[in-house]
Amino acid sequence: MASALDDDEIGNDDYYSLLNVRREATQEELKAAYRRLCMLYHPDKHRDPELKRQAEQLFNLVHEAYEVLSDPQSRAIYDIYGKRGLDVEGWEVVERKRTPAEIREEYERLQTEREERRLQQRTNPKGTISVGIDATDLFDRYEEDYEDMVGGGVPHVEINKMHISQSIEAPLTTKDTAILSGSLSTHNGNGGGTINLALRRVTSAKGWGEVEVGAGDTHGPLFGMKIFRNLTPRFFVTAQCGLQFSSRGVRPGVTTVLARHLDKNTMGYLQWRWGIQSSMNTSIVRDTKSSHFTFAMQLGIPHTFMMMSYQYKFQDEDQTKIKGSVKTGFFGTVVEYGAERKISRHSVLGATVSVGVPQGVSLKIKLNRASQTYFFPIHLTDQLLPSAVFYATVGPLVFYLAIQQLVIRPYVRAQKEQDLEKQRESSASNIAKKKQEAEAAVLLMQESVRRIIEAEESRMGLIILNAWYGKFVTDNSRKHERAKVIDVTVPLQCLVKDSKLILTEATKSGLPGFYDPCVGEEKSLKVLYQFRGVMHQVLSGDTEPLRIPKQSCSFDTNGVNDVLVLPPSMGMIHTASFL
């Protein structure tokens, strides 16, 4: 069962982790886990008033977790929205007799309605800034032209064109949206601008229509209409028509696009355009998790061409992509290659080298920052010069590596530390509460742990010698960092049953007797245990399932001396360096 729990919900009151059950746990598994914890925390088992009070609090928490997870409707809501979903706005309209799938659909509808109300209160700005740079003087210089000129030895680089466009969306109703857009362009000292207003209406779940009016100082008034319609679940059509008014008269134009899903990852398109630049175009686009492929052919006036492009997507944290394309037609042939990479949470930087006949060599740099795009096409030479291709390829790479080391990484590191500090401050009170609950749980476990150890020793079973949970320092290059771990020997021994310890894939910070000693940082569990008289150790990630004893983790008992054994003082964060 999928879970949409937020990060602040995980490890806070994660009911699955508290009961130590899988997210796919059956009712029988839930009941068995609930009974086991009830026997441990039942208030009537403790005579000391303070222990009785603490047991009552933990007993109520376990009971609350079982009540939610044992009810299909409540469990469905919890799996989608976490604990806060049980109190979310709209609960009163959900019938208790609905199935979990119906509950999920109802809450998704409520969430969509809240999102629509939020969108109605703000705009959705989008913008593009393009700056064309003519740097041909760097490679296409003729020395004799500069012999008699003052400063002739300095290459002349200039900005010869610029384009700025901006648009905002204003939701009027849940079905109607107004779109205002404008643009300014200049090229070699000549330019102009346009402004457009469009009204879009969603007619049904299958389609929408749009009416657009515009005006500009170069083309005159514009009137257009556009419709989109899903004909079948795998087939849709888009049609657009417009009238452009100018001093030469009315110039009509029509564009129609037919698209069909050929399979799960492949789309086929047919486009017909009539008017100012008539053409027919067909293309196939295949987009998968690791690649993007496009093949297109066009017959038209004045552009007739064939194009093929391929993009490979690396499955890394920075979403790196490399791409290449070839395009040939009546205009000549152009080969492009490049790469793009995510440089921050909201920014993607890309560079593309374009080599063509007769176009020459160009370098295109693009930066996407949220909904804003900054584009810098740099024309290097009108000829096919190897030096221009070399510098266009190596130059951006060297510049990026330098900026990555000197600017981007320090900034991202500082940003992560700042976010982590904010997260720690916001969760400080909750962590303090969880720490008190964990310490209380350990006190209540003492008698049960004593009995479990006696039973396991009698059969030479599973004895937890030492266990630590938190952040370990295992890299020699990070010795300056402080390990932050807590002793969880008692809580783990308490979970041993029939000489076995089984932990699910849920975060371990939610287990009884555990808490998070280093919020926002990567954590793991290190266990030193004895089974059949032989010592073993195992290291497990925070959300990795764990089952011991494991034969694969045994080691020579002589190696035990190399393991740092922390004093079993629950609730303390120990500072150590694990090699």
Side-chain angles (χ1 to χ4, degrees):
M1 186 177 296
S3 174
L5 296 177
D6 293 337
D7 290 339
D8 58 351
E9 197 75 42
I10 296 290
N12 178 3
D13 284 325
D14 186 349
Y15 291 153
Y16 290 100
S17 181
L18 177 64
L19 299 179
N20 191 29
V21 294
R22 302 173 299 117
R23 293 195 172 273
E24 301 81 11
T26 63
Q27 291 292 334
E28 290 73 18
E29 292 173 329
L30 288 171
K31 187 176 294 184
Y34 174 62
R35 286 177 176 174
R36 178 177 173 84
L37 290 176
C38 283
M39 292 176 62
L40 180 65
Y41 294 141
H42 201 287
D44 294 342
K45 297 182 63 176
H46 304 279
R47 296 182 179 180
D48 183 271
E50 181 61 22
L51 289 179
K52 192 179 186 71
R53 183 187 64 82
Q54 295 172 348
E56 186 175 353
Q57 292 178 352
L58 293 171
F59 181 84
N60 291 337
L61 183 60
V62 171
H63 181 72
E64 177 185 323
Y66 178 72
E67 284 291 311
V68 171
L69 298 184
S70 61
D71 180 76
Q73 286 78 17
S74 298
R75 184 174 180 176
I77 298 170
Y78 178 79
D79 286 341
I80 302 169
Y81 294 98
K83 185 178 178 181
R84 65 183 180 186
L86 301 172
D87 302 319
V88 79
E89 174 189 358
W91 166 258
E92 63 277 0
V93 304
V94 179
E95 297 178 10
R96 297 291 294 174
K97 295 182 180 180
R98 293 190 179 186
T99 65
E102 292 173 335
I103 293 285
R104 185 184 185 95
E105 292 178 0
E106 185 68 21
Y107 266 77
E108 287 177 349
R109 182 188 68 79
L110 292 172
Q111 185 184 41
T112 302
E113 290 181 356
R114 289 193 297 273
E115 181 69 14
E116 289 176 350
R117 291 196 297 268
R118 186 179 66 85
L119 287 175
Q120 291 176 22
Q121 300 172 358
R122 69 174 182 88
T123 60
N124 184 25
K126 297 179 181 179
T128 300
I129 297 177
S130 177
V131 179
I133 301 174
D134 185 356
T136 55
D137 199 32
L138 293 172
F139 300 95
D140 296 341
R141 301 180 65 201
Y142 297 94
E143 296 296 337
E144 61 271 15
D145 294 342
Y146 294 90
E147 290 178 355
D148 300 327
M149 295 179 60
V150 178
V154 179
H156 182 62
V157 178
E158 65 176 2
I159 297 175
N160 60 355
K161 58 183 176 181
M162 184 177 294
H163 175 79
I164 301 175
S165 63
Q166 188 75 26
S167 68
I168 57 173
E169 296 181 2
L172 305 178
T173 66
T174 56
K175 293 185 177 182
D176 299 315
T177 303
I179 306 170
L180 180 64
S181 61
S183 65
L184 292 172
S185 300
T186 178
H187 188 196
N188 291 331
N190 299 316
T194 60
I195 185 169
N196 298 75
L197 175 64
L199 295 176
R200 179 182 299 167
R201 182 178 182 85
V202 178
T203 55
S204 67
K206 294 184 177 181
W208 50 266
E210 184 176 292
V211 177
E212 179 182 13
V213 293
D217 55 1
T218 56
H219 300 292
L222 167 71
F223 176 78
M225 297 181 64
K226 186 176 182 179
I227 60 172
F228 169 87
R229 181 74 178 179
N230 276 312
L231 302 181
T232 69
R234 300 171 59 89
F235 183 58
F236 67 85
V237 60
T238 301
Q240 182 177 1
C241 62
L243 297 175
Q244 181 75 63
F245 299 89
S246 66
S247 57
R248 299 180 181 179
V250 180
R251 306 168 70 180
V254 177
T255 301
T256 302
V257 178
L258 302 176
R260 178 178 175 81
H261 288 273
L262 303 180
D263 60 36
K264 181 181 178 180
N265 300 306
T266 308
M267 290 288 296
Y269 297 90
L270 287 174
Q271 183 186 73
W272 174 70
R273 178 181 295 168
W274 174 81
I276 302 174
Q277 294 184 346
S278 299
S279 65
M280 292 186 66
N281 181 293
T282 181
S283 60
I284 296 176
V285 179
R286 180 171 178 80
D287 191 12
T288 65
K289 185 178 180 180
S290 60
S291 64
H292 182 94
F293 174 79
T294 302
F295 177 79
M297 293 183 62
Q298 178 171 301
L299 298 175
I301 302 174
H303 299 300
T304 296
F305 65 84
M306 181 174 64
M307 187 271 289
M308 183 170 59
S309 69
Y310 178 80
Q311 182 182 85
Y312 181 78
K313 308 173 186 176
F314 290 89
Q315 305 303 310
D316 59 353
E317 215 176 78
D318 297 320
Q319 302 177 11
T320 306
K321 302 174 184 177
I322 57 174
K323 52 188 177 181
S325 69
V326 57
K327 186 177 181 180
T328 183
F330 292 162
F331 59 85
T333 301
V334 176
V335 176
E336 292 187 346
Y337 58 91
E340 69 176 44
R341 195 175 194 183
K342 188 176 181 180
I343 59 175
S344 69
R345 185 181 304 175
H346 303 292
S347 300
V348 177
L349 179 65
T352 303
V353 179
S354 177
V355 182
V357 179
Q359 291 83 2
V361 181
S362 297
L363 171 64
K364 303 172 184 177
I365 299 175
K366 183 170 69 171
L367 174 65
N368 289 327
R369 173 68 178 172
S371 59
Q372 300 293 314
T373 300
Y374 304 91
F375 186 54
F376 302 92
I378 306 173
H379 188 48
L380 299 177
T381 174
D382 294 323
Q383 309 172 54
L384 290 182
L385 298 179
S387 59
V389 177
F390 174 79
Y391 285 112
T393 304
V394 176
L397 181 60
V398 173
F399 179 77
Y400 169 76
L401 292 176
I403 294 297
Q404 178 81 359
Q405 292 293 333
L406 300 176
V407 179
I408 297 176
R409 286 187 178 177
Y411 172 78
V412 172
R413 191 181 303 116
Q415 191 69 33
K416 285 184 177 179
E417 291 177 356
Q418 184 179 359
D419 294 343
L420 183 57
E421 188 61 30
K422 289 181 179 178
Q423 186 179 358
R424 288 171 179 166
E425 292 177 358
S426 62
S427 59
S429 60
N430 181 67
I431 293 300
K433 176 185 175 184
K434 297 297 292 183
K435 180 180 178 180
Q436 291 178 354
E437 292 179 354
E439 291 173 345
V442 169
L443 291 175
L444 298 173
M445 293 174 181
Q446 297 292 341
E447 182 62 27
S448 297
V449 167
R450 185 185 61 79
R451 293 196 301 267
I452 293 173
I453 291 177
E454 289 177 354
E456 294 297 324
E457 286 178 342
S458 65
R459 64 170 76 116
M460 294 187 67
L462 179 60
I463 306 295
I464 306 298
L465 301 177
N466 286 103
W468 310 277
Y469 172 69
K471 174 187 175 183
F472 298 88
V473 178
T474 57
D475 190 348
N476 290 334
S477 63
R478 298 168 55 198
K479 281 188 175 181
H480 64 281
E481 297 186 25
R482 296 164 62 91
K484 302 174 183 177
V485 298
I486 57 174
D487 188 287
V488 291
T489 306
V490 172
L492 281 189
Q493 186 68 67
C494 191
L495 293 175
V496 172
K497 183 179 181 181
D498 299 329
S499 298
K500 294 178 183 178
L501 174 63
I502 301 175
L503 302 180
T504 67
E505 69 277 6
T507 176
K508 297 173 177 59
S509 62
L511 290 170
F514 283 63
Y515 68 94
D516 193 341
C518 46
V519 177
E521 299 183 63
E522 186 176 350
K523 292 173 285 291
S524 54
L525 175 67
K526 191 169 187 177
V527 184
L528 177 65
Y529 67 94
Q530 180 177 298
F531 182 70
R532 297 289 186 260
V534 180
M535 292 186 183
H536 308 262
Q537 73 172 357
V538 63
L539 184 67
S540 173
D542 186 27
T543 57
E544 293 179 1
L546 176 65
R547 182 186 180 95
I548 56 177
K550 298 172 66 175
Q551 295 299 327
S552 59
C553 63
S554 63
F555 63 94
D556 192 335
T557 55
N558 293 329
V560 177
N561 296 326
D562 298 329
V563 180
L564 177 60
V565 180
L566 301 179
S569 52
M570 180 61 202
M572 295 180 61
I573 294 182
H574 302 285
T575 301
S577 178
F578 289 87
L579 303 180

